[in-house]
Amino acid sequence: MSDRRDGTPAAALDAEDATDAAEGADGASPDGGHAAAAPSTHTVRLELVDEPGQLLAALHPIADNGGNLLSIYHERGNKTPRGRIPVEVDFEATPERFEEIVDALRSEGVNVMQAGTERYAEEVTLLLFGHLIDTDLSDTLSRIEACESASVADVSLAAPQGTEEVSSARLRLEARAGETDAALAAVRELAAEKDLRVVEPLTGVDA
């Protein structure tokens, strides 16, 4: 694992300098210093595809909307269940700018998992029963992942009588805020197609 607090990259500094330049060389804000609120430190947790340029692309909406980048925690050695890279970004911005930055990130297709204290994902745990192996468990999980409303955060398979018999899998899903029902509906539809039984949601269990 190569997790590290690597500070603001050069490319991000360039974007930050551009923001500073827009405010004026003397540091004055465009509104003459009459800002509605003073900047404060914010943290967003992002999930990025492991491809060149994705980190820089995610930083642009922050700098372009008035965020002053402070540090980046780039966890390349700790991928999410979807094979993506979690990235934590600290920056300064006014409350209004912060909301604009979050909206801009999501508009650019960046998966914002948490912004400040607000989580942008809801979790639900469910069980699948049936011939999970014979019906291609990998395909089942991939098709759940393809649903825009949900992703598979964790999966635990139990096949006590062997892979050719009925087995069960406990799935922990992360759904976009307010879209849990849509995610569950997609799982039910897929389970019906493959003749699987769904028990959901599970409460009072550790995922």
Side-chain angles (χ1 to χ4, degrees):
M1 182 176 293
S2 59
D3 295 358
R4 65 185 187 284
R5 177 71 68 170
D6 54 14
T8 306
L13 288 174
D14 291 341
E16 179 182 340
D17 292 341
T19 302
D20 293 340
E23 294 180 347
D26 58 357
S29 61
D31 61 6
H34 301 290
S40 56
T41 301
H42 303 276
T43 300
V44 292
R45 186 170 178 81
L46 314 174
E47 186 186 47
L48 304 180
V49 177
D50 191 8
E51 295 178 357
Q54 291 299 305
L55 177 58
L56 183 58
L59 296 179
H60 277 304
I62 298 175
D64 292 347
N65 287 277
N68 179 28
L69 292 164
L70 299 176
S71 62
I72 302 164
Y73 188 36
H74 192 197
E75 304 177 55
R76 286 195 61 87
N78 185 26
K79 293 185 178 180
T80 68
R82 294 198 291 178
R84 298 184 180 183
I85 299 175
V87 176
E88 195 171 280
V89 182
D90 297 325
F91 60 90
E92 288 182 331
T94 63
E96 288 186 2
R97 290 289 190 180
F98 174 63
E99 296 298 329
E100 293 174 1
I101 287 169
V102 173
D103 289 341
L105 285 166
R106 301 185 78 181
S107 295
E108 291 296 322
V110 178
N111 191 16
V112 181
M113 298 304 297
Q114 185 169 353
T117 58
E118 183 175 358
R119 292 185 63 84
Y120 283 84
E122 299 171 346
E123 290 190 354
V124 61
T125 301
L126 53 83
L127 290 177
L128 287 179
F129 289 97
H131 290 280
L132 298 173
I133 307 301
D134 288 346
T135 57
D136 194 344
L137 179 59
S138 178
D139 172 71
T140 300
L141 298 177
S142 296
R143 290 172 64 180
I144 294 175
E145 287 282 353
C147 172
E148 293 184 358
S149 299
S151 63
V152 180
D154 185 62
V155 58
S156 177
L157 177 67
Q161 298 179 358
T163 58
E164 296 182 358
E165 300 298 328
V166 171
S167 55
S168 65
R170 187 176 71 172
L171 306 182
R172 180 164 58 90
L173 305 182
E174 287 184 345
R176 292 180 181 179
E179 297 187 15
T180 297
D181 288 344
L184 291 175
V187 174
R188 292 188 203 106
E189 182 178 349
L190 179 58
E193 176 188 326
K194 295 193 172 190
D195 196 24
L196 303 175
R197 180 186 173 194
V198 183
V199 178
E200 41 84 0
L202 299 180
T203 59
V205 298
D206 294 326

